[in-house]
Amino acid sequence: MQSFKGLLAIVLVAVSCGALADDSALQQLRGKGYIALMRHALAPGTGDPSNFIVDDCSTQRNLNEVGRVQASETGDYLRKAGVQFHAVYSSEWCRCMETAQLMALGDVQSLPQINSFFQQMSERDSRNEALLLWLAKQTIEKPLLLVTHQVNITALTGVYPQSGEVVVGRMVEGAFEVTGTIDPR
């Protein structure tokens, strides 16, 4: 019985730490200087089909109904938490654009620097460098939201986000510093 109590204590601490991480990250996003990197909502599968064309959603892996609901609910969650973004940017991939649009947190602008490089891993470093240069030039009076892909977020931050998870951070001396995460599930 003692091991069950110990396990229960660990689970309770993990849950409360997760809630604290979300609260802290939400607080940061109510201020200035922070950036939210969100992995697109649920789009079952991995990568894209071999006939992938960026301007043709029928050739891509897309959000399913669960992903659409997840995107909408995440937007609601952030609005209810008092988060307002200066601008919303998205990868050109349809699953990212649809996620950003369904969140309804502002006009969505495409940003090629956050397009997936999953099928061109050799572009990892150059894509990260281009994004960091772009971020360094931004005046972040209100937070920015960038809806992108797991591979991009992991390469930049070392965090492996779940579908719909948000990694919060800021630019420090030309690098992206992770300050928290938000998983509204």
Side-chain angles (χ1 to χ4, degrees), residues 48 52 138 183:
D48 284 293
F52 168 85
Q138 304 308 303
D183 191 352

Side-chain angles (χ1 to χ4, degrees), residues 94-105:
C94 295
R95 58 187 171 270
C96 293
M97 291 296 281
E98 186 175 17
T99 296
Q101 291 163 349
L102 288 170
M103 291 175 68
L105 294 169

Side-chain angles (χ1 to χ4, degrees), residues 100-151:
Q101 291 163 349
L102 288 170
M103 291 175 68
L105 294 169
D107 293 334
V108 180
Q109 303 171 59
S110 65
L111 183 64
Q113 291 91 326
I114 56 175
N115 286 349
S116 177
F117 52 81
F118 181 79
Q119 292 172 304
Q120 297 99 15
M121 291 303 271
S122 62
E123 293 182 16
R124 173 192 160 148
D125 293 342
S126 63
R127 193 73 57 84
N128 271 348
E129 184 177 317
L131 177 57
L132 288 170
L133 288 171
W134 182 85
L135 287 170
K137 293 177 184 175
Q138 304 308 303
T139 302
I140 306 175
E141 291 300 316
K142 281 188 179 176
L144 301 177
L145 172 61
L146 283 66
V147 180
T148 185
H149 308 266
Q150 172 274 312
V151 67

Side-chain angles (χ1 to χ4, degrees), residues 14-73:
V15 169
S16 66
C17 286
L20 289 174
D22 279 4
D23 288 346
S24 175
L26 286 169
Q27 183 63 33
Q28 292 164 359
L29 289 179
R30 290 184 201 107
K32 66 179 190 175
Y34 287 90
I35 301 153
L37 298 171
M38 179 181 176
R39 181 179 179 184
H40 60 76
L42 187 62
T46 303
D48 284 293
S50 58
N51 64 336
F52 168 85
I53 300 170
V54 75
D55 296 326
D56 184 351
C57 294
S58 70
T59 66
Q60 299 180 32
R61 182 168 58 91
N62 295 299
L63 301 183
N64 64 6
E65 191 55 36
V66 173
R68 288 183 191 91
V69 169
Q70 181 184 36
S72 178
E73 288 179 353

